Amino acid sequence: MKRDALPAAASAPAADTAWAALRDAASAPYRTTGRWAWHWARGKLSGDPAFRALLERGAMTARARVLDIGCGQGLVASLLQASADAAHGGDWPAAWAAAPSARAYTGVELMARDVARAQAALQALPLQPRFVNADMCHADFPACDLVVILDVLHYVDHAAQQAVLARVRDALQAAQGRLLLRIGDAGSRRGFAVSQWVDRVVTMARGHRVAPTFGRPLAAWIELLEALGFAVRAVPMSRGTPFANVLLVADLGGHAR
Ligand SMILES: C[S@@+](CC[C@H](N)C(=O)[O-])C[C@H]1O[C@@H](n2cnc3c(N)ncnc32)[C@H](O)[C@@H]1O
């Protein structure tokens, strides 16, 4: 029987309580880098359903080497550490899939300010995350078991998206690994327009130049990934938000699980 089918043990914290504790723990390291980074981390973990869903569903379970492309201030690294700590302390909900157990993390991020914030907040974590300030279109991707790309690929044009995904496939090939790719479904016009508008506002608020964005309908994303050899499962990932976000769980070496 799969672990997430087991009934919750009496001693396990209720899922909502566990998630609140994980959110607090993953946000806490950013306090050292200023209130803005801490508020951003808490806001993102509270308002974006993807982070909790990734843990609940076990999407990152049993993947040792993680590459996070467009990692921003490294929230995934902090969440991986908080998850490992919670599991180690017996505070992991029995109703969830097993906690992730990453042993290495590399984040690639274009914006130097985000990289500096990530390093300042997270470099002392036991996971020892590594952050690289680089353009994903040119950065080397290390061999890995899991690639995470959340809301990033639409910043580059279609040819560049395809080239990045081909190099992601190469980085995952030896491990027959997994790509977690969150995209906005351009076929869902209203939700996609809302996410583009929010993207622009946030990009400007963070002092970045607002670049054009390049969407694809969901079916086109899936077709692209399948052509690269991935087996793909689409999971709606915008519950409680006005966006049209979808998480694509793309596995090499067989069927998407
Ligand atoms: C919407 S944010 C998502 C951040 C993070 N993945 C998350 O979910 O919290 C998109 C991130 O992608 C980064 N980005 C955009 N273009 C990039 C590129 N060519 N190479 C690397 N990072 C890029 C942006 O600077 C930004 O931090």
Side-chain angles (χ1 to χ4, degrees):
M1 187 189 292
K2 278 170 56 188
R3 189 169 193 272
D4 58 5
L6 292 171
S11 61
D16 287 351
T17 308
W19 171 245
L22 281 166
R23 180 204 59 204
D24 291 351
S27 310
Y30 295 101
R31 277 186 184 282
T32 58
T33 60
R35 291 191 66 75
W36 192 91
W38 178 72
H39 279 298
W40 179 263
R42 267 186 76 85
K44 190 94 200 218
L45 291 172
S46 301
D48 185 335
F51 296 98
R52 174 172 171 167
L54 291 177
L55 299 181
E56 272 183 331
R57 292 164 176 269
M60 302 192 288
T61 299
R63 311 277 165 176
R65 299 164 300 168
V66 178
L67 171 63
D68 184 6
I69 297 176
C71 66
Q73 62 178 22
L75 209 42
V76 169
S78 197
L79 197 56
L80 287 170
Q81 183 66 58
S83 299
D85 293 344
H88 187 68
D91 294 328
W92 193 258
W96 289 6
S101 49
R103 290 201 304 277
Y105 169 99
T106 303
V108 174
E109 169 54 49
L110 186 63
M111 295 298 163
R113 257 189 295 182
D114 284 328
V115 171
R117 250 194 307 266
Q119 278 166 339
L122 307 178
Q123 65 189 357
L125 296 181
L127 178 59
Q128 297 184 303
R130 189 172 74 94
F131 295 98
V132 180
N133 182 201
D135 185 333
M136 64 182 166
C137 299
H138 308 294
D140 287 335
F141 296 159
C144 51
D145 306 290
L146 176 68
V147 173
V148 179
I149 310 179
L150 299 179
D151 312 333
V152 180
L153 274 191
H154 59 288
Y155 288 106
V156 298
D157 66 30
H158 286 167
Q161 290 172 0
Q162 185 163 356
V164 167
L165 289 174
R167 290 191 303 113
V168 163
R169 187 263 323 273
D170 295 346
L172 289 168
Q173 193 92 61
Q176 296 287 279
R178 166 173 289 182
L179 164 65
L180 296 173
L181 173 65
R182 188 163 73 168
I183 52 94
D185 175 7
S188 171
R189 296 174 71 138
R190 190 154 183 275
F192 189 68
V194 173
S195 56
Q196 285 204 308
W197 181 81
V198 171
D199 243 13
R200 290 198 178 104
V201 171
V202 171
T203 304
M204 266 193 300
R206 294 168 82 197
H208 303 324
R209 187 174 59 85
V210 177
T213 56
F214 303 87
R216 300 173 191 255
L218 176 59
W221 282 112
I222 293 175
E223 193 180 328
L224 172 59
L225 290 170
E226 287 180 343
L228 289 167
F230 289 99
V232 185
R233 187 160 49 89
V235 184
M237 200 51 73
S238 48
R239 181 167 41 92
T241 75
F243 309 129
N245 290 336
V246 178
L247 178 73
L248 299 174
V249 180
D251 287 325
L252 289 176
H255 300 292
R257 297 174 292 278

